[in-house]
Amino acid sequence: MSCRAVIFDLDGVLTDTAIYHFYAWKALADELGIAFTEHDNEQLKGVDRLGSLRWILQKGDLTLSTADEARLMQQKNAHYLELIDHITPDNLYPGVQPLFAELKRSGIKIGLASASKNAAFVVERLGIATQFDYIADANQVTNSKPDPEVFLLAASGLGVAPQHCIGVEDALAGIEAINRAGMKAIGIGDAKVLSGASKVYPDVATITLTNLLKL
Ligand code: BG6
Ligand code: MG
C-alpha cells in the first residue's frame, strides 16, 4: 500500500492514560461490588464511556436507570480527570515526537481517532494538539469502536482514502474498527491479544517509518 496518513489512537498508544481509565473503572466497580480485573479491562480498551459502564454493570447483573447511569459516568469521569490532572508533555510516550517528525518530513498526514470525550484536553496537556492534521474523537461520532466511524471521520478530515491510511491501536475494539474502515492496522501491545493487526509492536518507540512503509 502507499501510505499517505497514519491515524493514531490516544489512550495507551501516545500516552499512559489507559491505566487511569482502568483505575477509575475499578474504583467504581469496587463500590458497586462487581469484580473487575485488568484482564476484564482488555475488553473495555477503546470502548466509549457508556459502553464501558454497561459492560461492568452487566458483569454484576445490574440494570440501572438512565439517570443512575449518567451519575455513575459522571463520577467515573471526575475521578479519571483527577487521576490525569498531573499530566504534562513528559507523559508523552518515548518515540512519539521522533515518529511524528519523520511522518511530517515524508509528507504523511497525522490523524487522531479517539473514543474519549477528553481527547482534546489530553492532547493539549501533552503539548501535541497542533501536530495533528485532523482530530476525530467521541464528541463527533455516534458509533463507538469497534464501529469504524471515528477512523473514517479522521480519514475524511485528512482528505485521504482509507486504503492509504494506517491505524495504530492498543485495543481489540480499535483494531477491529481499523480493519472495518478498510485501513491497515498496527497494534501496540501483545501480539497474542491483538491478533487482528497486520503487525504488532510493543510500543510506539519501536515503530519506524521504514517498517510502516513495508506494510
Ligand atoms: C478510550 C479508552 O480511548 O476512551 C477507554 O480506551 C475509555 O478506556 C474511552 O473508556 C472513553 O473515554 P472518556 O474519556 O470519554 O470517558
Ligand atoms: Mg487506546
Side-chain angles (χ1 to χ4, degrees):
M1 78 155 330
S2 89
C3 170
R4 294 186 41 217
V6 181
I7 303 174
F8 294 87
D9 169 51
L10 173 64
D11 297 315
V13 169
L14 301 180
T15 184
D16 59 359
T17 40
I19 192 74
Y20 299 115
H21 280 292
F22 169 65
Y23 290 157
W25 283 127
K26 170 88 181 127
L28 188 75
D30 284 352
E31 199 179 302
L32 295 168
I34 300 169
F36 181 63
T37 64
E38 216 158 342
H39 179 73
D40 293 329
N41 191 57
E42 279 306 317
Q43 304 299 318
L44 295 194
K45 285 188 180 168
V47 176
D48 69 2
R49 210 178 290 172
L50 180 59
S52 301
L53 175 67
R54 289 199 171 149
W55 192 97
I56 293 169
L57 292 176
Q58 197 177 13
K59 185 151 192 265
D61 279 328
L62 274 181
T63 316
L64 298 181
S65 67
T66 311
D68 281 340
E69 284 181 340
R71 183 178 49 77
L72 293 180
M73 283 192 289
Q74 204 277 331
Q75 181 182 325
K76 182 268 173 180
N77 194 50
H79 186 191
Y80 173 68
L81 289 175
E82 226 176 270
L83 293 172
I84 64 164
D85 189 46
H86 67 280
I87 71 167
T88 69
D90 288 344
N91 290 87
L92 197 62
Y93 277 147
V96 174
Q97 289 290 19
L99 180 61
F100 277 18
E102 229 183 336
L103 293 171
K104 280 187 194 297
R105 274 198 301 276
S106 313
I108 295 173
K109 292 200 168 143
I110 301 173
L112 186 81
S114 174
S116 172
K117 289 189 170 162
N118 296 302
F121 169 74
V122 173
V123 293
E124 194 62 52
R125 280 299 198 85
L126 292 171
I128 53 168
T130 57
Q131 301 209 25
F132 294 98
D133 296 296
Y134 192 80
I135 291 181
D137 67 31
N139 296 297
Q140 296 149 271
V141 299
T142 351
N143 304 300
S144 177
K145 299 167 186 180
D147 189 281
E149 189 179 353
V150 74
F151 280 97
L152 290 172
L153 175 66
S156 101
L158 293 168
V160 176
Q163 66 267 29
H164 295 298
C165 294
I166 293 173
V168 185
E169 263 287 353
D170 68 320
L172 273 170
I175 298 288
E176 187 180 333
I178 297 169
N179 286 330
R180 282 167 62 183
M183 303 174 182
K184 283 269 183 225
I186 296 242
I188 297 292
D190 184 343
K192 281 187 244 94
V193 176
L194 304 174
S195 54
S198 296
K199 196 98 188 122
V200 179
Y201 296 97
D203 48 44
V204 172
T206 31
I207 303 179
T208 62
L209 184 60
T210 319
N211 51 41
L212 282 184
L213 296 180
K214 276 195 215 133
L215 274 183

